[in-house]
Structure formats: structure tokens, C-alpha cells
């Protein structure tokens, strides 16, 4: 849609957070683009209406007065993206509504997935729910049969009306309790009496049986409710009750606000309507929809989606994929386009989980508003943002230094080309003087801290370098996670600030070409002009991908096409203009990772799935593994035929246009600009409109237009095309040598990011290439980089219990095999005596040799939780284990690879060896073990290659200098905290003790010395236990690092330096340092939690949290061998850890229903649980009032009630069932947890049996396992009056901070979040 229709003006508008961008095309004339403030109440009420008024004024040549309805006769179409829904979500200013859900699940969305948003916060702030009231509905259905049924006991069932019914997916469902319309009406009448007019409804399994939700909607409509959002109708309608219910609530919260805005927008036109005018809104999936069908849920990312469509339609040459880099004033988004739009179907936006198709957009930084700070000897950029108010220091509102200010100070931003909208009268330019003064003052502080002089330019440029590297890390992650080489992309840059960073971002990523469209600063608006009307239709499926099922799937797809075509026709899209994209959402049986596969030209979905699986995950399963169809999807598209011209001209002109270097006289002026390679230098400034196509500009240079600045760095070359600026870079030529003797604080900050990036890329390789549920989907693993002595250099803080422990595994092998290792060797261990935590966590270690192959320069290692390594009764987590041999295969040191040979026979023998012991089995999943071990080897190999590249780039001496320096930096931060603690308490000795449920006592004395070092002495801790609560020393080290990070309260490098000033005394033979053969499986999960509470109690930092992971598992039998004999061990197994309450602190209430400290795992969604296993989730709720009372109250625990639908063996391993979580400073104790077995007496009455803290019992159908988890302790004396006990409430004038969230959280955020939530 480049040119206007002959019938009138076409307008596209993106209303952003700070500016509203406008693109318009007049009949017979060129395009018009401009920006205006999104909020300017003194001049206009609505920015889009004001933008249209200005366009119409330009067209008519006469100024149309503000405030009067706008004429429509010259307008053909309006396309818009709006932040109405986004802002309502971020600011929590949506529509008041009630949430209707099955009885027993009232707190489902409050608990959510139970993970805490930030791993290292003592004051856990959970996202607010959107609804105001919850109503429990008398109704329940569940899936009949279960996916893990290896014996097929529920096949070939027939429907029984009112009891067994077929869902739309083909699944058979059992109606346990029909919808009770009488109690539903009574509940709705009460809501109406309370003033509610809007509802959100989510019933279990409604994605495949929506009829009960639909009936509730009919009843509610009859009773006068004006808006009803059904979970089965508003989003993607996929399995998982929490995100679907959350989506329904979000739709109820946002859509009325969106409709209200559209009504007001319509009133801005003559007649108070849009009759006769085509008006469409951009949706988060990159498609347009008519304004009458636009809803809040699908419009959350409408602006960013326009940007993705914009660069996809203007900056893709048809061959090289593009990384989209959208850097604005308030946020920076990254995405990828390789010829097709990449969608995600479950995201978290503003703390709310959304199940709806969205383009894969990831907010990775705060943009130009990221705040610059110097902290603990490191340059820090963000994550805090100055936002629009007060904004950067240069905005004349007293704001802090930001990235924008650094660019201004370095000469990369010219105030006269920036809008003059600042100062009290909003008519002044950016303030360069205050920026100069602030950088001068900051430079003095930094110079004094490091003991040498730096210039203000070096400091400002240092922040730019750190900002660039921080933004590169997620870009690498986004591409590498999908199996793409980052350097094999072009960088598509847009947004107002993108051009200032484009060259350096590309260099850091190894990308040699940057593409900027002439409208790159308003590309989101222009993208809407190029977008197409889209209608998405999707349904769940339960088919296997085989020839017999394809005819049924084709029939269903044909019906979906009809539905999509009707919707498009209603929006004015003709049948001739409509095309359909067909998708099947496919996964292997036994996995949760589904891939949305578009129909290939051959029609062979299986081949396409295998090809995509191999590319993304680097492996495929054997041919006998079933491929399942989870969903069928149709994307109906109204093709415009006008949206590919910019891409076509880009490819054509790059191949044919002749370029000539511009004459220096073509520059408008010369400015002094700072570059690291040259220092300040005279840099020509060119106006883009004055550079004809075919112009070539050599760097350094600046190219400006009305809305943006493009910085061309020295050594780069910019070429001007008809609609694009192309910048080509010699990546290697831009590198700057670093000193091998002097630590530069800028490079120290940058190297911190580089080391962490290596660990992160190792992790993504491991996740891609592994096959087990634990590693691939739960992401229960860690990858890390270590020095030549085994000291930790970088370990992304994902699994807290791995933080400090892996280095002891590496150090053990380093000392054991010193001088005996050669390049290519790979080692394996998991034994507690060799740095392990518990046996399922297997560590794979690879030495990284320097270029001659003679000396070890680094180690890399990966630790992953293997699903099965054998053990007592077929599990490595038996609640009754007393000896290590009962917990599976134990490996002190095994050379997995030597001389290029993978010793498969040797490792298989080790994994089968537990079967030699009485009552034990070897691993039943040898193939998974081998695949995951090979994935760990691949991850280590990735890390080794990246470290070797780093040493090639900077030299080994430089890299190891910064390796040591980053460890020293962490040590400085820890010493500083310990010295402040010594001063705070006025004492050098702190003491604490706590009791385990067994009666064992854990004692800690911390002696802080004048130099900031400390002794953590656990002398007095009880002897090892006759059970599995013993914790290897590595666990205590992990807990110390984790707690120090909590107590320091700011980001610090998590490496060996954290423990450098700490001496740890762990008496041998105590349960924190047990003898070699002691059982330890629960030490990793339970004792680790108690050690954290003990440390925090000793430092008087917070009351006790639940002090437990509440490990629950169940096991089912099944399967036969080739002779028909029953297989030993378990046919299927399930395990999860369950949330509780967190402890209160000196200024905060504890959080309820959340994981704390050494775990952060997600809880299993009720629908997934019931579909895969023979259980029913009867209740999942918060134990109201169980938290300890105080001035600040402890968080409440939860109730989780499982009912068996087949014979199952349940296992519980828990703590805090005897000794209550302590309170501090007068606060009361929290309540203990409890584990119950509920069965029936002969007369049918319930029989409740307390299982105690640890047990394993065999249960029959109808039996229940009910877990009550512990709460948190209170802080401070209970007040005599005033409210307390509510999360987020305040006491003594204290306030609870509201969490801030990124606007777009796509696949990258999903990966990072899941990793952070791994146990």
C-alpha cells in the first residue's frame, strides 16, 4: 500500500509511549511522515485524531480547527496501532470484572505458575491479578484415559450422554459434575448486586469442551452482563488452564477499555462514526482487523508488531535473514525474520500470561532511557529506566544520566535536530550543559575508585560499549536458541535511537551489513501501511500424525477455512484476495515441545516436522516415536499485492546500482564526535534528503533526516539507495586491542557480559540438543565457565543450588587428573564426594586448552538433571533411602571421551549398575541418558569454541586478566557488604541455629573480620542422619553464594570471588558434610532450603520462608517385555515441587503461594497433569491466614489435592512438618505443613491419615494425596490495630513497590523465565 488509492488519502498511525508516528499518502503526491507527542493535553486530547487533522490540513491547504469533527470525504483508509491495551495493562487501569472458575481452583491465577518473578529478591513482589472478585462454579469434567498409559486401558470408549462425551479434539471426557445452573445463577445475581457488569470465565478442559462456558455466557447475558470473556473463545484456545484463564481475565480487563477508546475515536469524525471509511487496527500477530472486531487481548503488541511487519516488508533481500533491532526512547525490541513471520502462542506481558498468537518480539532493554550508574567497580546500564518522566538528564526535568545523554555528550546526537519540546514552556532543546557537568562529576568518582584518571569521553563511551554488549546478549540468544548463526543475518535497524548504535551492535555480533529504511524512525506506522488483514482460527486436536488421520484433519481444516473466509468477507476482503496458511502444531509423544509447522508445498507435514526439529534441536527421535497433532490452525490473509516493493527494490538496487563516494562539500557541517578508535574527531554531517541514490559515504560520518540520526563509524561504508541506507562493515577491522597488564573498568564490564554470554550460549545448545523432559522443557540444568584452577568465572544464575557447587566438581577433577588430561578429553561425575549435589545431577566437564594444546586455560562444564539413573524401587529420589547406593548410579570420575572415542559401553554399564543391588533398578531410559550426555558434550564444545575465539580476539593473557579481575570484583562487593554488616550490628560475631524435623540442629557462627573477610562456622551442627537429608558440602557453598547475593541486594558477578573472603568450616561427619556412603537425595531439595533460612536468620535479614520444596512424586506401573512379562520399575513417573509462603522482613509482607530460595520451579498446570496422568486436581488454593502474624505478616502456604484415577504409588519428601517457620523481631511463627492420605472407610466416610514428613504409599482409585505446605514467619510485634496479613499491604507507612515489566516477552523471555524457574 505505497500509493494512495485514487479514492482518497491512506493514513497509518502508531501511537507509542512517547511519540505518535504518522505516515500518509496523498492521491498523486508523495508520502508524508511526521511525529507528534502522544500526550499533550494542553493542545489536543487524542494524538491519532490530531495526526489525522494535520494530514487533512496539509491536503486541503487550510488549517482545520482543533476540537471539531473531522471530514471523511477525502479519506480512504486509516490503519492504527495503539497502546490503549498495553497502557491499561502496565498501569493496571482496566475494567473491573469477576473471574469464574471451577470449585477448588479459586486461587489458580493468584498462585499462577508459583515461581517468583525475580530470583534474588527477599521482598517477593508477585504480579497483581486483574480481576476484583472470584466465583467458584459447581462443574467439573476431566479427560478420560491418559497419555502415559502404556497399556492402552482406555482405548475404544463409547460416548454415554451426560457421563462420557467427545470433545472437539476427539478426546473422550468424563463429566464428573454437570454445570449447576441454579448455583451459577445465584452467584451471578450477587455479582450484579455488587455492581459487576463484566465477567471472565475459565473452566477446566473448556478448550476441548467449551459448552459449559458457553452456557454460563448465555445465562449471564440474560441477566444483563455487558461483556463476557470465555477462555475457550478469546485466545488461542490451547491446553493449559492458567494461561487460558489469565487470557480470559485480560480480555475482560482490556477489551471494554479498547472499545471505549474506539467509540471516542469515532466521535472525532463527522457524524460521530466511521461509516464509509475503512479503519483497521494492527494486532499482535502482525495482521490487521476491522475496528469493530478489535479487542484488547490481541492488541497488546500492536505497535511493535507494526515494526516487525515494516522491516520484514522493507529490509529483507529474499536471501539473508534479518534481525530486527527497534531501539526507541523507552524500550528496545528485537525479533527475527527469515521469509516468514515467527509467532509465539504463550507469552507474559506486564506480569500477565497471555495465550494468543503474537509475533515473536522480545523487549531486551529500556532503550535510550536506560539509567547509567557506577556500582561495585562496574559500569552498569539499566535495567532501570528514566522513562519519559523525568526522562534523561538532558530533558531538563532533573533526570539521571542515560544512554541518550551519553550519545548527546559524545556528539552522536545533535540537539538542533531533536524536537524542541523541553523546559517549563516545552520549547527548549536538549540541555547539553547539565549532561557535561554530570559526566564530569561521575568521572571524578570513577577515577578516584580505580586509582587512575579517565576522561569524561572515555566514561560516556564506556557506558555505550556496555549498553551495546548488554543488548547483544539477548540477540545472540534469540538466534542461537533457534539454531541460527547470528553472524549470518543482516541487522534491520529502526526506532528513533537505533541508528546511533547500529554499527557497533552489528560489529559486536559479527554482522557485516546494516539496513535502514528511509522511514526507519516511523517504521511501525509504515509497517501498518504494508500489513494485511488477517483472520486466525485454531482448534485443539488429539490425532496422531499418520495417513489415516490426515483425511479427518483435512476436513476440519476445510471447516476452519470457511470460518476464516466468512470473517474476512465481513471485513471487506473478497474471496479472490484471500489466501490461507495451514498449520499443524506437532510434537513427539512424551515431550511437551510442540512446533507450529506450516504446510509444505509437498503436503508432507511429517517430513517438514522432522526437518524443523533437526534444525532447531539438532536431533530427531527414532521412527517408531509417535508424532502427535496438538492443534490445527488456519491463518486467512487478505493479500494486498503492494507490500513487497521495497524488498524487491532493495535486492535489485544492491545488484545493479553504481555507487560514487560523495564529495566533502556535500556535508552540511562538521561536528566533533567521539569514537573509541579515534577519540574525538571532526565528523561530516550529511542530510539524507540531499544524498541522491548511488551516494557512498565513508565513516566516520553522521547522516540525519527529520526524525533520526545514523552514525557511521570509522571503517564503515554507507550506501544510499532509493528507499534505504545500507552500511557495510569490516567487522574484524573495528576491533580495539586491550592491555594485558592493566584492567580497564569498561572492558571489565564488557568481559563480564562476554563470559556470561558464553555460559548462556552453552545453555541454549544444551537445551536444543537434549531430549529429556527435565533438561529440554523444564530446563533443569546449568552451564558455566571456570578458570584453569576450577574457580567459577561465569554461571548464569538459573538454578540456585548449582551456583557455587559446580566449581567443586571441576576442582575435584582438576586435582585428581592434573597433568593427565589432553585436548578433547571429556569427564563425567555426580558423586557427592567429588562436588556433586545429588546423583541425578550429572556434571560433564571439558578442559579448554590454549592454542598449543599444552596448558589448560579454562574449563567449561554443564550439569543436567537426568530423569532416570536407577535406584531403590526404580527412583533416584526414594523417601526412605539411607545409603547412597539406593539413590542410583554414583560416578566419582569417568573419562567419557578420550582420543575422540565416546565410551558408550563404559557409561551404560555405570548407569545399569544400580540393578546389582537388592531392591534397586538400573536406568530404564538409557537412550535418554546417552542423548542428554551427548547434548552436554555439545554444550561444552560450544563453550570451548567461544572461549577459544575470545582468546584469538584478545589474546590469552588479556582474557585471563579479565577472568581474574571479574572474580576480584565480586570479592570486593562481598567484602563491602560484610564490612557494612559489621558496622550495622556493632559486633563481629553473628549466631543462628535452627532445628530440622528429625530433631537435628544446624548451627552457624559468622565471624566478620576488619578486612571484610568472614568465617562461616557450622560447628555444633548435628551428626549425619540415618536418612537422605544429608547435604554434601557443595550445597552449603551454593547456599552461601545465593544468600550473599540476596543480602547485597544488587547485581554482582556470581563467581568464585564471592567465596574468596569466606572461610567455611563444615565438620566432617555432620549432616552438612556427611561420610562418603550417606544418602543425600533430599539434602539437595530440603536441607539446602533450611541452610538458606539459617544464614538469613543469622544475619537477621528476614523471617523464615517455608524452608521446604515439598517434593511430591507418583509412579505408575505398566508395560511388558517381548515375552509378555510385566516390566519391573515404573512405566511412568511424575514429580513436582510445591510453593509455600515466604518470610516477612523489616519493610515487607511475605508472599503467598510462591517458591523461595533454592528452587523456582513451575507447578504443573491442572489440564496438562490430568491429560498426561491418571489424577484429578481437586484443589489448588492458598491456606488463608497460615502465615505468621506480625507488623509484617508471613506469606501463606497452599493446599494441593490430588485424587487417583488409577493405582499409583505416591512419594513425599518434605520439611517443616514438625518445627514451624520462625518469626523475627517479635513476629509470630508461620504454620507447619502436613501431608495426608485420604481414603474411605467401609461405611464410605473419609479417613484422613498423616503421612509424616517423608513416606511412600500405594494408593487406589478414589484415594487422595493432600499436601498442606508451610507458610512464612512474621516480622515485628503484632500491631494492636490496623490491617495486616494481606500481601502488598503496608505497615508503619511503608509501601510495597510495584514491579515494572517489559512490554514484549516472546520466545527469548519464555526461555529465560523457564530456565530461572528450573529446580
Amino acid at each position: 500500500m505505497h500509493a494512495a488509492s485514487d479514492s482518497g488519502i491512506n493514513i497509518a498511525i502508531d501511537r507509542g509511549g512517547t511519540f505518535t508516528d504518522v505516515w500518509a499518502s496523498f492521491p498523486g503526491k508523495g508520502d508524508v511522515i511526521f511525529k507528534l507527542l502522544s500526550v499533550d493535553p494542553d493542545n489536543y486530547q487524542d494524538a491519532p485524531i490530531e495526526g489525522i487533522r494535520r494530514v487533512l490540513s496539509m491536503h486541503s491547504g487550510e488549517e482545520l480547527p482543533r476540537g471539531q469533527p473531522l471530514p471523511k470525504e477525502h479519506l480512504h483508509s486509516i490503519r492504527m496501532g495503539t497502546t490503549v491495551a498495553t497502557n491499561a495493562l502496565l498501569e493496571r487501569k482496566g475494567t473491573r470484572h469477576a473471574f469464574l472458575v471451577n470449585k477448588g481452583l479459586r486461587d489458580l491465577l493468584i498462585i499462577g505458575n508459583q515461581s517468583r518473578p525475580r530470583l534474588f529478591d527477599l521482598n517477593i513482589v508477585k504480579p497483581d491479578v486483574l480481576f476484583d472478585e472470584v466465583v467458584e462454579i459447581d462443574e467439573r469434567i476431566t479427560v478420560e484415559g491418559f497419555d502415559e498409559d502404556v497399556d492402552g486401558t482406555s482405548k475404544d470408549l463409547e460416548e454415554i450422554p451426560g457421563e462420557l462425551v467427545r470433545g472437539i479434539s476427539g478426546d473422550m471426557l468424563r463429566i464428573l459434575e454437570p454445570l449447576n445452573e441454579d448455583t451459577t445463577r445465584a452467584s451471578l445475581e450477587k455479582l450484579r448486586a455488587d455492581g459487576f457488569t463484566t465477567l471472565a470465565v475459565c473452566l477446566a478442559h473448556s478448550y476441548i469442551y467449551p459448552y459449559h462456558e458457553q452456557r454460563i455466557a448465555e445465562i449471564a447475558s440474560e441477566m444483563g452482563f455487558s461483556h463476557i470473556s470465555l477462555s475457550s473463545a478469546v485466545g488461542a484456545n490451547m491446553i493449559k488452564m492458567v494461561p487460558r484463564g489469565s487470557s480470559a481475565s485480560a480480555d475482560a480487563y482490556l477489551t471494554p477499555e479498547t472499545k471505549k477508546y474506539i467509540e471516542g475515536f469515532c466521535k472525532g469524525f463527522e457524524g460521530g462514526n466511521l461509516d464509509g471509511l475503512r479503519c483497521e487496527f494492527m494486532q499482535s500477530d502482525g495482521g490487521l482487523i476491522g475496528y469493530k472486531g478489535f479487542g484488547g487481548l490481541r492488541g497488546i503488541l500492536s505497535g511493535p508488531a507494526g515494526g516487525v511487519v515494516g522491516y520484514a516488508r522493507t529490509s529483507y533481500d529474499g536471501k539473508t535473514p534479518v534481525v530486527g533491532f527497534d531501539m526507541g526512547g523507552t524500550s528496545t525490541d528485537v525479533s527475527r525474520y527469515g521469509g516468514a513471520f515467527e509467532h509465539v502462542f504463550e507469552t507474559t506481558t506486564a506480569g500477565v500470561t497471555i495465550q494468543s498468537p503474537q509475533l515473536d518480539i522480545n523487549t531486551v532493554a529500556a532503550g535510550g532511557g536506560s539509567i547509567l550508574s557506577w556500582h561495585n567497580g562496574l559500569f552498569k546500564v539499566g535495567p532501570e529506566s528514566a522513562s519519559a518522566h523525568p526522562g534523561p538528564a538532558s530533558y531538563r526535568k532533573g533526570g539521571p544520566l542515560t544512554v541518550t545523554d551519553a550519545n548527546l555528550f559524545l556528539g552522536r546526537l545533535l540537539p538542533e535536530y531533536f524536537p524542541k519540546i523541553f523546559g517549563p514552556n516545552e520549547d527548549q532543546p536538549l540541555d547539553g550543559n547539565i549532561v557535561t557537568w554530570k559526566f564530569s562529576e561521575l568521572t571524578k568518582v570513577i577515577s578516584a575508585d580505580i586509582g587512575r584518571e579517565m576522561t569524561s569521553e572515555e566514561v560516556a563511551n564506556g557506558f555505550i560499549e556496555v549498553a551495546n554488549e548488554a543488548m547483544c546478549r539477548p540477540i545472540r540468544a534469540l538466534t542461537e536458541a533457534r539454531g541460527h548463526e547470528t553472524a549470518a543475518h543482516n541487522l534491520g535497524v529502526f526506532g528513533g535511537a537505533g541508528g546511533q548504535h547500529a554499527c557497533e551492535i552489528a560489529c559486536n555480533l559479527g554482522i557485516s551489513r546494516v539496513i535502514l529504511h528511509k522511514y526507519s524512525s516511523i517504521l511501525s506506522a509504515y509497517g501498518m501501511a504494508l500489513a494485511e488483514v488477517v483472520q486466525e482460527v485454531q482448534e485443539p486436536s488429539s490425532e496422531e500424525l499418520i495417513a489415516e488421520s490426515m483425511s479427518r484433519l483435512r476436513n476440519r481444516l476445510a471447516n476452519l477455512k470457511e470460518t476464516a473466509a466468512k470473517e474476512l468477507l465481513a471485513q471487506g476482503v473478497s474471496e479472490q484476495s484471500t489466501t490461507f496458511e495451514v498449520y499443524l502444531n506437532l510434537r513427539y509423544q512424551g515431550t511437551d515441545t510442540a512446533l507450529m509447522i506450516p504446510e509444505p508445498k509437498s503436503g508432507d507435514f511429517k517430513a517438514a516436522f522432522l526437518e524443523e526439529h533437526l534444525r532447531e534441536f539438532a536431533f530427531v527421535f527414532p521412527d517408531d516415536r509417535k508424532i502427535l497433532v496438538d492443534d490445527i490452525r488456519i491463518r486467512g490473509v487478505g493479500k494486498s499485492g503492494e507490500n513487497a516493493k521495497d524488498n524487491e527494490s532493495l535486492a535489485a538496487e544492491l545488484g545493479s546500482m553504481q555507487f560514487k563516494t560523495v564529495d566533502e562539500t556535500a556535508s552540511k557541517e562538521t561536528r566533533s564526535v567521539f569514537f573509541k578508535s579515534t577519540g574525538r574527531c571532526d565528523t561530516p554531517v550529511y542530510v539524507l534528503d540531499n544524498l541522491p541514490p548511488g551516494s557512498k559515504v565513508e565513516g566516520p560520518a553522521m547522516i540525519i533526516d527529520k526524525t533520526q540520526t545514523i552514525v557511521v563509524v570509522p571503517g564503515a561504508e554507507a550506501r544510499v539507495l532509493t528507499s534505504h541506507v545500507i552500511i557495510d562493515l569490516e567487522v574484524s577491522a573495528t576491533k580495539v586491542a586491550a592491555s594485558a597488564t592493566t584492567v580497564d573498568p569498561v572492558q571489565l564490564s564488557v568481559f563480564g557480559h562476554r563470559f556470561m554470554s558464553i555460559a548462556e550460549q552453552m545453555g541454549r545448545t544444551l537445551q536444543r540438543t537434549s531430549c529429556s523432559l527435565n533438561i529440554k522443557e523444564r530446563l533443569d540444568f546449568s552451564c558455566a565457565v571456570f578458570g584453569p584452577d576450577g574457580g567459577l568465572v561465569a554461571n548464569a544464575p538459573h538454578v540456585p543450588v548449582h551456583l557455587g557447587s559446580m566449581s567443586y566438581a571441576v576442582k575435584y577433577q582438576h586435582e585428581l587428573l592434573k597433568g593427565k588430561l589432553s585436548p578433547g578429553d571429556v569427564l563425567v561425575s555426580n558423586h557427592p564426594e567429588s562436588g556433586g549435589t545429588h546423583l541425578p545431577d550429572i556434571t560433564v566437564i571439558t578442559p579448554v586448552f590454549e592454542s598449543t594444546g599444552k596448558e589448560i586455560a579454562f574449563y567449561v562444564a554443564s550439569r543436567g538433571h537426568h530423569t532416570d539413573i536407577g535406584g531403590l524401587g526404580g527412583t533416584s529420589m526414594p523417601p526412605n533411602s539411607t545409603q547412597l547406593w539406593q539413590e542410583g548410579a554414583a560416578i566419582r570420575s569417568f573419562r567419557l571421551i578420550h582420543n575422540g572415542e565416546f565410551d558408550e559401553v563404559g557409561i551404560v554399564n555405570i548407569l545399569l549398575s544400580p540393578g546389582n543391588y537388592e531392591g534397586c533398578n538400573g536406568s530404564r531410559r538409557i537412550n535418554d541418558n546417552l542423548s542428554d550426555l551427548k547434548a552436554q558434550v555439545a554444550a561444552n564444545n560450544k563453550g570451548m569454541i567461544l572461549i577459544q575465539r575470545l582468546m584469538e580476539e584478545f589474546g590469552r593473557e588479556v582474557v585471563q586478566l579479565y577472568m581474574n579481575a571479574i572474580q576480584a570484583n565480586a570479592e570486593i562487593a562481598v567484602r563491602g557488604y560484610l564490612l557494612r554488616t559489621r558496622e550495622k550490628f556493632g559486633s563481629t560475631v553473628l549466631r543462628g541455629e535452627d532445628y530440622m524435623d528429625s530433631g537435628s540442629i544446624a548451627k552457624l557462627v559468622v565471624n566478620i573480620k576488619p578486612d571484610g573477610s568472614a568465617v562461616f562456622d557450622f560447628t555444633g551442627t548435628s551428626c549425619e542422619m540415618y536418612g537422605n537429608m544429608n547435604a554434601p558440602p557443595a550445597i552449603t557453598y551454593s547456599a552461601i553464594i545465593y544468600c550473599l547475593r540476596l543480602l547485597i541486594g544488587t547485581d554482582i558477578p556470581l563467581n568464585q570471588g564471592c567465596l574468596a573472603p569466606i572461610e567455611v568450616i563444615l565438620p566432617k561427619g555432620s549432616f552438612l558434610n556427611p561420610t562418603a556412603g550417606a544418602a543425600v537425595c533430599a539434602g539437595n531439595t530440603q536441607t539446602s532450603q533450611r541452610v538458606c533460612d539459617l544464614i538469613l536468620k543469622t544475619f537477621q535479614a528476614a523471617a523464615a520462608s517455608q524452608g521446604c520444596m515439598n517434593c511430591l512424586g507418583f509412579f505408575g506401573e505398566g508395560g511388558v517385555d517381548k515375552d509378555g512379562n510385566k516390566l519391573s520399575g515404573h512405566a511412568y513417573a511424575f514429580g513436582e515441587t510445591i510453593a509455600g509462603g515466604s518470610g516477612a522482613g523489616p519493610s515487607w509482607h511475605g508472599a503467598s503461594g510462591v517458591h523461595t530460595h533454592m528452587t523456582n520451579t513451575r507447578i504443573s498446570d491442572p489440564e496438562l497433569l490430568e491429560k498426561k496422568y491418571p489424577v484429578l486436581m481437586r484443589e489448588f488454593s492458598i491456606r488463608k491466614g497460615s502465615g505468621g502474624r506480625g507488623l509484617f505478616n508471613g506469606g501463606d502456604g497452599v493446599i494441593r489435592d490430588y485424587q487417583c484415577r488409577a493405582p499409583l504409588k505416591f512419594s513425599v519428601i518434605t520439611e517443616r512438618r514438625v518445627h514451624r517457620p520462625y518469626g523475627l523481631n517479635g513476629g509470630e511463627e508461620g504454620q507447619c505443613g502436613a501431608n495426608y492420605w485420604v481414603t474411605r472407610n467401609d461405611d464410605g466416610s473419609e479417613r484422613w491419615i498423616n503421612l509424616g514428613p517423608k513416606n511412600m504409599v500405594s494408593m487406589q482409585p478414589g484415594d487422595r494425596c493432600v499436601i498442606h505446605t508451610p507458610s512464612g514467619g512474621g516480622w515485628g510485634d503484632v500491631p494492636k490495630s490496623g490491617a495486616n496479613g494481606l500481601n502488598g499491604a503496608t505497615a508503619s507507612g511503608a509501601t510495597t513497590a510495584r514491579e515494572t515489566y517489559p512490554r514484549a516477552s516472546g520466545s527469548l523471555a519464555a526461555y529465560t523465565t523457564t530456565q530461572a524457574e528450573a529446580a
Side-chain angles (χ1 to χ4, degrees), residues 1233-1238 1248-1252 1259 1264-1268:
N1235 308 319
Y1236 298 106
W1237 174 13
V1238 184
W1248 285 68
I1249 304 166
N1250 191 327
L1251 294 173
M1259 297 190 186
R1264 290 155 51 204
C1265 183
V1266 183
I1267 308 297
H1268 289 197

Side-chain angles (χ1 to χ4, degrees), residues 181 185 188-189 192 199 214-228:
E181 295 191 10
R185 285 183 186 277
L188 292 175
E189 286 172 358
R192 287 294 287 129
L199 301 175
Q214 292 167 1
R215 180 59 186 143
I216 291 173
E218 291 172 359
I219 295 170
S221 295
E222 293 168 5
M223 298 176 68
F225 286 89
S226 59
H227 183 88
I228 304 151

Side-chain angles (χ1 to χ4, degrees), residues 76-130:
H76 175 253
S77 75
I78 299 171
R79 293 181 167 186
M80 283 178 57
T82 176
T83 57
V84 170
T86 315
N87 291 344
L89 201 55
L90 289 169
E91 298 168 10
R92 293 299 196 261
K93 294 180 179 178
T95 300
R96 181 173 180 257
H97 67 282
F99 179 62
L100 278 59
V101 69
N102 304 88
K103 183 176 289 184
L105 302 177
R106 64 174 294 114
D107 296 323
L108 189 69
L109 298 191
I110 296 173
I111 301 170
N113 63 20
Q114 80 177 3
S115 64
R116 59 192 184 277
R118 295 165 64 92
L119 199 61
F120 295 111
D121 280 358
L122 271 173
N123 178 12
I124 298 171
V125 180
K126 296 176 67 176
D128 298 327
V129 292
L130 304 179

